[in-house]
Amino acid sequence: MSSQRTAFVEPRREDARFTQKRRYQMLIDGKSVEAESGETITRESPAYADLVVSEIPRATKGDAERAILAARHAFDEGPWPRMSGSERSRILARVGEAIYEHREELAVIECLEVGKTIRQARGEMGASAEFWRYAAGHAQGLTGETHNSLGDNAIGLMLREPVGVVGIITPWNFPLLIGSERVPWALGAGCTVVVKPSEFTSGSTIRMAELARDCGLPDGVFNVITGYGDPVGQLLAEHPATDFLSFTGSFRVGQIVGGLAASNIKRVGLELGGKGPQIIFADSDLEAASDAVARSIFGVGGQACIAGSRLIVEAPAREEMLERLTKIADKVVIGDPLDENVHVGSLIHRPHLEKVESYVNAGRKAGARLVTGGERLSNVGNYYAPTIFDAVDTDMSIARDEIFGPVLATFSFETPEQAVALANDTQYGLSAGIWSRDITKAMRTIRQVRAGRTWINSAGGGAPEMGIGGFKQSGIGREMGHYGFDEYSTFKNVFMGLNPVSTPWVE
């Protein structure tokens, strides 16, 4: 184990950006409303001890019902699904610009509620605006199919139509970014939506919906309800008036909501957990690879489903990679997320910090070698040191479970076949990375890895043009790109007889 030299910046409570608690309202049918019970949920910032930064309505089942029925009415009777693609496109583009113009406000909200750094949050807000812009550009050109080879007397059409009312449940780690991977695609397809953000991090989603309303989105098209999974998320999944459910979160909860949706044969899109492998061949640019691996697993405290939490490195490069990663881990600056020089902020809350600690302790007990880290950094907030394990066996919990923390498990391999076997030895299949200067070897390897979102000589890159989603127990369905519009569309078969010939069936 290295001597821990991680720099820590103590959280400062005097920053003017959080001197006042933010009080939010839900958005139902175009109106900002309280919960019918009058009850609220307060959110203490995970980065600053005993500092309440937001208060949201605690929605009841009745509130959720109102939001769903508002979306249903807006879809069945309102103008949105009947607008031309160009009209919808113009409004979505305005929303993207509004998000960009308010990116600092939105970044501060997520910085305080999630605990991520202000630099990280700013980048996410810019990416979110870009997602809306892309969806706006493509909403105008959505197409179906024609079949003109059915003979002289017939023609066939496949009409694209919006799937209907979409329930969207988003997680606490990237509330606005993940919401922006889904909402503009659903709206661009002509659907109406009800979004339920995490009770921990609802602020930025509410503000996004308010901005959309101000940009001219009709009432009832974009609704936000806040509160707990039971009853709010549960009703979104099982209500007969919702036609599609999009859920991002853990495998365990995904099983539950998927089962609820199945009760009335509702289509679902699920993005669930991950245990991303990062395969490093000895011929790689090890400096670039180590920097990308560290950013992937230690950035945002490892609280990302696509984090590369398993390092699978070719034996000749193992010691050098571990040495490089240890040096990076020890230079990471952790602490006050509003400090511009901090690389990593806080974990989401104390129970999660304790969960990460329990996995690290289990890894030690099972015989894995702790290379660096393995400790919390302050009693103020929920800060944990970047942690690296070596000599990890595939049956250890740190090798198999999604820890969702800054914990890297290291394995080595001798042949490409061994690397692929290690990469695929998991229930998950969300993300994977390959590093090699030999592009043929890298492509052959990536083809064999069972994961939906992959990188070669990169980690975490992407674009709204490209669809994302998981294999195996990491979920079903695809978001973004043209795949995202297909996700929120349904297709109608129209067979037309052009010159019907009256031939009696019965003489």
Side-chain angles (χ1 to χ4, degrees):
M1 176 177 171
S2 77
S3 58
Q4 183 57 250
R5 298 183 299 276
T6 302
F8 183 73
V9 175
E10 289 288 344
R12 297 183 297 274
R13 296 170 59 105
E14 62 272 16
D15 193 299
R17 285 173 286 189
F18 55 75
T19 54
Q20 291 186 338
K21 177 180 67 177
R22 295 172 184 257
R23 179 72 173 84
Y24 296 99
Q25 293 178 302
M26 299 182 293
L27 197 73
I28 298 178
D29 202 17
K31 302 174 182 62
S32 296
V33 299
E34 302 289 346
E36 62 181 6
S37 66
E39 295 183 2
T40 60
I41 300 170
T42 57
R43 173 62 172 156
E44 291 186 1
S45 176
Y48 308 88
D50 303 320
L51 179 69
V52 174
V53 292
S54 59
E55 186 176 1
I56 61 170
R58 180 176 178 172
T60 65
K61 190 173 182 178
D63 295 315
E65 177 94 9
R66 283 192 295 139
I68 292 168
L69 293 182
R72 183 80 262 167
H73 183 266
F75 183 80
D76 293 339
E77 306 293 337
W80 186 253
R82 294 154 193 86
M83 285 182 180
S84 67
S86 62
E87 290 177 292
R88 289 199 293 261
S89 177
R90 285 195 293 271
I91 293 175
L92 296 181
R94 289 201 292 268
V95 180
E97 293 308 311
I99 289 172
Y100 189 77
E101 290 169 5
H102 289 79
R103 64 191 182 279
E104 187 68 18
E105 173 199 353
L106 294 166
V108 171
I109 291 171
E110 291 211 359
C111 180
L112 296 177
E113 289 192 341
V114 184
K116 66 182 63 172
T117 67
I118 190 65
R119 292 195 302 172
Q120 172 77 27
R122 285 193 193 108
E124 291 174 18
M125 301 309 108
S128 298
E130 190 61 30
F131 293 165
W132 281 83
R133 293 180 185 126
Y134 174 88
H138 283 256
Q140 187 170 351
L142 297 181
T143 62
E145 293 180 347
T146 61
H147 296 268
N148 198 31
S149 57
L150 306 180
D152 288 343
N153 292 326
I155 189 170
L157 306 175
M158 290 297 294
L159 300 183
R160 177 193 293 268
E161 298 181 355
V163 71
V165 176
V166 177
I168 300 176
I169 301 174
T170 56
W172 49 256
N173 53 346
F174 299 101
L176 194 122
L177 186 73
I178 289 177
S180 296
E181 290 175 348
R182 287 145 180 77
V183 174
W185 272 263
L187 298 183
C191 300
T192 59
V193 302
V194 181
V195 180
K196 184 242 175 281
S198 167
E199 64 272 17
F200 297 122
T201 58
S202 297
S204 60
T205 303
I206 293 171
R207 284 294 295 130
M208 176 170 62
E210 291 172 344
L211 293 172
R213 177 184 59 188
D214 296 344
C215 288
L217 204 65
D219 292 349
V221 173
F222 186 176
N223 307 274
V224 178
I225 50 175
T226 56
Y228 297 109
D230 181 9
V232 176
Q234 179 177 334
L235 193 67
L236 275 182
E238 64 186 6
H239 201 288
T242 57
D243 301 294
F244 188 101
L245 180 75
S246 170
F247 171 81
T248 306
S250 71
F251 169 72
R252 180 186 64 82
V253 180
Q255 281 184 307
I256 295 171
V257 298
L260 292 170
S263 66
N264 51 32
I265 320 299
K266 194 190 313 293
R267 283 172 53 188
V268 296
L270 304 174
E271 183 177 320
L272 308 177
K275 193 69 176 173
Q278 302 192 78
I279 299 175
I280 315 295
F281 286 99
D283 67 352
S284 305
D285 180 336
L286 297 184
E287 181 178 6
S290 58
D291 183 74
V293 168
R295 179 187 293 268
S296 176
I297 185 58
F298 302 142
V300 296
Q303 299 172 120
C305 53
I306 61 171
S309 55
R310 291 184 297 145
L311 176 66
I312 301 172
V313 58
E314 194 168 10
R318 178 174 183 163
E319 291 304 319
E320 183 176 347
M321 275 297 295
L322 284 172
E323 182 179 350
R324 288 180 177 275
L325 284 165
T326 300
K327 288 180 179 178
I328 294 172
D330 291 346
K331 291 179 181 178
V332 170
V333 179
I334 299 176
D336 189 342
L338 284 169
D339 190 302
E340 299 285 348
N341 298 311
V342 166
H343 301 113
V344 181
S346 171
L347 300 184
I348 189 65
H349 49 52
R350 187 53 54 95
H352 187 61
L353 172 67
E354 292 169 352
K355 173 189 170 185
V356 172
E357 285 183 321
S358 71
Y359 272 108
V360 171
N361 292 335
R364 285 170 164 154
K365 186 176 180 180
R369 181 173 72 89
L370 183 64
V371 177
T372 191
E375 60 184 359
R376 66 173 70 181
L377 297 178
S378 173
N379 289 323
V380 176
N382 300 284
Y383 301 95
Y384 202 79
T387 299
I388 301 172
F389 278 106
D390 190 20
V392 177
D393 291 333
T394 56
D395 61 349
M396 293 179 182
S397 62
I398 59 171
R400 307 210 69 81
D401 296 349
E402 184 181 39
I403 299 172
F404 229 58
V407 181
L408 181 66
T410 306
F411 311 82
S412 67
F413 67 90
E414 301 288 343
T415 67
E417 293 77 17
Q418 290 176 340
V420 170
L422 283 167
N424 289 336
D425 186 15
T426 174
Q427 65 179 329
Y428 298 113
L430 191 60
S431 65
I434 309 292
W435 286 81
S436 174
R437 287 189 170 96
D438 184 338
I439 194 63
T440 299
K441 178 167 59 178
M443 279 302 302
R444 285 176 174 167
T445 304
I446 208 71
R447 283 177 167 179
Q448 298 175 68
V449 174
R450 297 285 296 162
R453 191 172 182 181
T454 65
W455 302 276
I456 293 177
N457 296 330
S458 177
E465 294 88 338
M466 301 174 67
I468 59 173
F471 287 11
K472 300 191 283 187
Q473 293 183 8
S474 285
I476 56 176
R478 291 295 179 268
E479 305 289 348
M480 301 211 300
H482 69 82
Y483 306 96
F485 292 111
D486 292 346
E487 188 86 344
Y488 299 110
S489 299
T490 190
F491 294 87
K492 180 181 290 180
N493 175 318
V494 180
F495 182 93
M496 293 190 294
L498 300 179
N499 186 22
V501 177
S502 180
T503 304
W505 176 48
V506 178
E507 294 293 344

